[in-house]
Amino acid sequence: MIRKLLLAFVALAYVGGVCAQTLDVRPWQKIAKKSSDVAKSSSFKINGKVSNAVSKSKMWVSPTSVSSASQVVSNIKRAPEDERVTTWFSYLNSENVGIVSLNTSNVTYTFASLVPPTYAGGKIDSVAIVFTSKSLMENVKIWFAPIEYDSDGLVVLPENGIDGLGEGSYCFDVDPSLINDPDIDGNSVTPYLTQLELPEEYEIPSTGCIMGYAFTYSGTTNDIAFFTYGTDEVGGGYLYEPSNGWGALYGTGYGNLTTSILVDVTGLPSSNVSMRSFTETTGRTNVQTAITGIIANDGFSPVESISYVLTLNGGTPQEEQTITFAQPIEGQSTGMANFPVTPTIDGENMVTVQITKVNGVDNISTSATGSGVVLGLSNPYARTSVVEGFAGTWDGFTPIVYKGFEKLAQDFGGGGIITLAAHFYTTDGTNVYVDPMQCDDYVDVANTYGADIPIAFYDRMFTGDPYAGIEYSNDGTHYQYGATRSVQIIGANYPSEAELTLDASYANFAQTSINADVTVNFACNRLTAPYAIAFVLSEDGMTGTDNSWMQANYFSTADYSDLAQYVEAYNVPDMQDWFNAAGSVATTYDDVIVAAWQPVSGYSNSISAPILVGVPKQFSQTLDISANTLIQNKNNLELTALLINTNTGGIVNAVQVPLGTGTGIEGVENAGSDAVEVARYNVNGVLLDAPQKGLNIIKYSDGSVKKVMVK
């Protein structure tokens, strides 16, 4: 049977493999940065249908997105930073579709993508490209050329664009009638793929090849010249303009070229799986756990099983084991596998895994071995899990965040759980949907970890549903409440190697800053310190009177009956108050994030090496809230300290304390009802401008003096 591999920009490189928990993330509305200029959401389409599915024997992956398969293709001679050949026109957020204009009309532009030598021997028989309007293009051509390298090992592109093609190149004209124009309606743009069969197959040479297209552009800078897709990557596309030469799209913010190829991979290597990386994890000493590895199918057949040999702490290799995947890992994509391991020592256990067989056949990969760390813990600390829910008052699915948080609070009784609600606004390019509680400090968290609305992060280890949890268990038709079980699963399977205590108080009487003192104790020794502390400030009882404070409610039976098919899975007793409510609900909001400090990666200097059992790590920070306009009531604030594992991005442990009305001063009594503080000193007689931890001496307006202890 002839097998063909479809290389295109529309596929995801990640393929799920064996995992302890099955995670299901739904495509809710994306979060938009305040600074973004976004238009109406759109999707790539083929003949009017969204191109999110192909036959099982084919797979779309972009030539520009597989450059990691070969390091050499990422070395490209790019134009200097000041020789940009494109100008930004517009940007579509939902599917990361870029729309780009060009500086000069009535000239021929040439585009290039790199196909790495991984695919050498494959035969290209068709291409797919998203073109702009055929009325703006003349002399459209598709071309291929072998990759050539200079003396420095860098890829050399044709010197004069389409006119510089050399020996071994292949070029053909495109019939304009075959080009699918995009739909443009105001701010809404729907681009379509144009699929073209080559007049004859092109065999990819041993060095890999350059795939490109070219056209003479007759538009202006107000027209759409070409489309891009996704984020801009090294090797993600190149553009030749006669007056400036070649320039790279990498680093410009435009995205990758929308170039795609269909390759016949019959006879190419299949049993070729490499180890990419391991996720550091924890486990109880002498108790079996699992370390998760990211593996890559560098071959061209689906990987249904792998066999491996595991070595622990440099000892004797263990007996070969086999993992069978619930879903095969398709060719040229990645997946996850859990490798069972029993840590034998407290602290770092080094795990080495060699993949020996693929589908029962010897693995030919030269990168089949990888190593990772399991922290063995004889006496782990109890974990206080952090559930971050992403919300928007404009988003009618958000009530599952509030209901999930409500149930967590009931089940944990205020201990062992911290819930934080991150609010965001969005726009469709025409309208801005405001959430008055958006905390700009948290936008980076959403973007770094890929948060949509409404989902939840569980200790930043798993992504799941704020109500149903990370398993999405159901009774066949309806989701069952699962957030509590998710927290329990994490606590049982991922013991914490550290605990935190937090002492927080206002630093001055005006309550414009907060003194935060964190102490961290560790349960095992480490020579390195891949940890950092972050702070999050949240508020309870937030309210407002204008419409932006009203919570949209798609669960409303009365007002959103047309959405019943989308919300029916949540039609359970817990959610009946929202099903019975109106489509827009006035409510108060708890756990709202109103400020954060280094929330993604923590303060880089907060935890120093080495880590030693019995030797606490201490970190103090003054947190400025003087310019914060989100805070409504400082009596309702709570400060959370997060300990982040900088190797994984996961939250190791956390602690939360209320700030309330106090300043951290115990036993302060004014000398009289009208007496006010006029001066404050420490025990050495030094004048203070704010309360200082320890014994303070306060002088009052009536001449009296008091000694108070500040926590």
Side-chain angles (χ1 to χ4, degrees), residues 138-205:
E138 297 177 356
N139 303 317
V140 182
K141 299 178 183 297
I142 304 295
W143 61 276
F144 297 90
I147 291 180
E148 297 181 0
Y149 303 94
D150 67 7
S151 59
D152 297 321
L154 302 179
V155 175
V156 178
L157 296 171
E159 184 175 356
N160 297 313
I162 191 70
D163 295 326
L165 298 181
E167 186 177 352
S169 300
Y170 172 44
C171 181
F172 71 94
D173 295 318
V174 175
D175 182 350
S177 67
L178 300 178
I179 294 175
N180 294 317
D181 285 347
D183 288 337
I184 302 176
D185 181 13
N187 286 327
S188 177
V189 180
T190 303
Y192 292 84
L193 279 168
T194 295
Q195 295 182 252
L196 302 167
E197 186 173 340
L198 275 61
E200 59 183 86
E201 291 183 334
Y202 176 82
E203 183 172 335
I204 301 171

Side-chain angles (χ1 to χ4, degrees), residues 32 43 47 90 132 143 181 207-208 237 242 279-280 294 398 516 521 553 561 570 701:
S43 301
N47 299 326
S90 181
T132 185
W143 61 276
D181 285 347
T207 59
T279 301
E280 181 178 306
I294 307 299
T398 285
N521 286 287
N553 176 29
S561 58
Y570 292 94
S701 58

Side-chain angles (χ1 to χ4, degrees), residues 183-472:
D183 288 337
I184 302 176
D185 181 13
N187 286 327
S188 177
V189 180
T190 303
Y192 292 84
L193 279 168
T194 295
Q195 295 182 252
L196 302 167
E197 186 173 340
L198 275 61
E200 59 183 86
E201 291 183 334
Y202 176 82
E203 183 172 335
I204 301 171
S206 61
T207 59
C209 73
I210 305 169
M211 177 266 172
Y213 61 100
F215 56 78
T216 302
Y217 181 58
S218 60
T220 70
T221 55
N222 294 321
D223 294 314
I224 300 172
F226 67 97
F227 291 92
T228 61
Y229 181 81
T231 58
D232 53 345
E233 301 171 358
V234 174
Y238 306 91
L239 171 60
Y240 177 85
E241 184 182 40
S243 60
N244 288 319
W246 283 101
L249 296 184
Y250 172 65
T252 62
Y254 303 147
N256 298 324
L257 289 181
T258 59
T259 52
S260 314
I261 57 177
L262 177 62
V263 183
D264 179 354
V265 294
T266 303
L268 297 188
S270 295
S271 56
N272 187 2
V273 173
S274 61
M275 291 294 310
R276 286 291 174 86
S277 63
F278 279 98
T279 301
E280 181 178 306
T281 190
T282 59
R284 289 171 174 79
T285 307
N286 298 318
V287 177
Q288 188 180 83
T289 184
I291 185 170
T292 300
I294 307 299
I295 63 176
N297 179 2
D298 299 322
F300 299 93
S301 293
V303 172
E304 298 179 353
S305 69
I306 59 171
S307 298
Y308 67 93
V309 172
L310 184 146
T311 303
L312 180 63
N313 295 324
T316 303
Q318 299 175 6
E319 185 179 347
E320 185 179 72
Q321 303 291 326
T322 298
I323 295 174
T324 300
F325 296 103
Q327 291 182 315
I329 302 175
E330 299 294 338
Q332 298 295 305
S333 62
T334 58
M336 293 193 306
N338 283 348
F339 300 96
V341 60
T342 302
T344 57
I345 61 174
D346 277 4
E348 295 184 353
N349 290 257
M350 184 60 65
V351 179
T352 301
V353 173
Q354 179 187 8
I355 301 176
T356 55
K357 293 184 176 66
V358 179
N359 297 335
V361 178
D362 288 346
N363 187 16
I364 66 171
S365 174
T366 59
S367 303
T369 302
S371 298
V373 172
V374 176
L375 284 184
L377 304 170
S378 293
N379 297 294
Y381 288 104
R383 176 183 288 274
T384 296
S385 278
V386 178
V387 181
E388 297 162 289
F390 293 83
T393 56
W394 46 269
D395 176 75
F397 295 107
T398 285
I400 64 173
V401 175
Y402 312 142
K403 183 58 65 174
F405 281 11
E406 176 188 320
K407 296 281 290 181
L408 284 168
Q410 291 172 357
D411 288 350
F412 285 91
I417 192 69
I418 295 171
T419 50
L420 299 169
H423 284 252
F424 298 94
Y425 86 104
T426 194
T427 176
D428 62 8
T430 302
N431 303 300
V432 175
Y433 300 96
V434 175
D435 187 317
M437 293 169 282
Q438 167 156 320
C439 177
D440 292 345
D441 299 338
Y442 235 66
V443 170
D444 283 345
V445 175
N447 291 331
T448 298
Y449 295 99
D452 294 341
I453 293 177
I455 66 168
F457 294 158
Y458 290 80
D459 287 327
R460 296 186 190 171
M461 297 168 64
F462 293 101
T463 301
D465 186 284
Y467 176 83
I470 61 178
E471 295 179 301
Y472 286 85

Side-chain angles (χ1 to χ4, degrees), residues 1-8 54-61 119 122-127 196-198 200-201 261-268 299-302 330-332:
M1 178 184 295
I2 294 178
R3 292 188 302 102
K4 294 185 178 181
L5 182 68
L6 227 46
L7 298 165
V54 292
S55 66
K56 291 183 178 180
S57 62
K58 299 178 181 180
M59 176 179 62
W60 284 101
V61 181
Y119 298 92
K123 297 178 177 61
I124 302 172
D125 64 14
S126 61
V127 301
L196 302 167
E197 186 173 340
L198 275 61
E200 59 183 86
E201 291 183 334
I261 57 177
L262 177 62
V263 183
D264 179 354
V265 294
T266 303
L268 297 188
F300 299 93
S301 293
E330 299 294 338
Q332 298 295 305

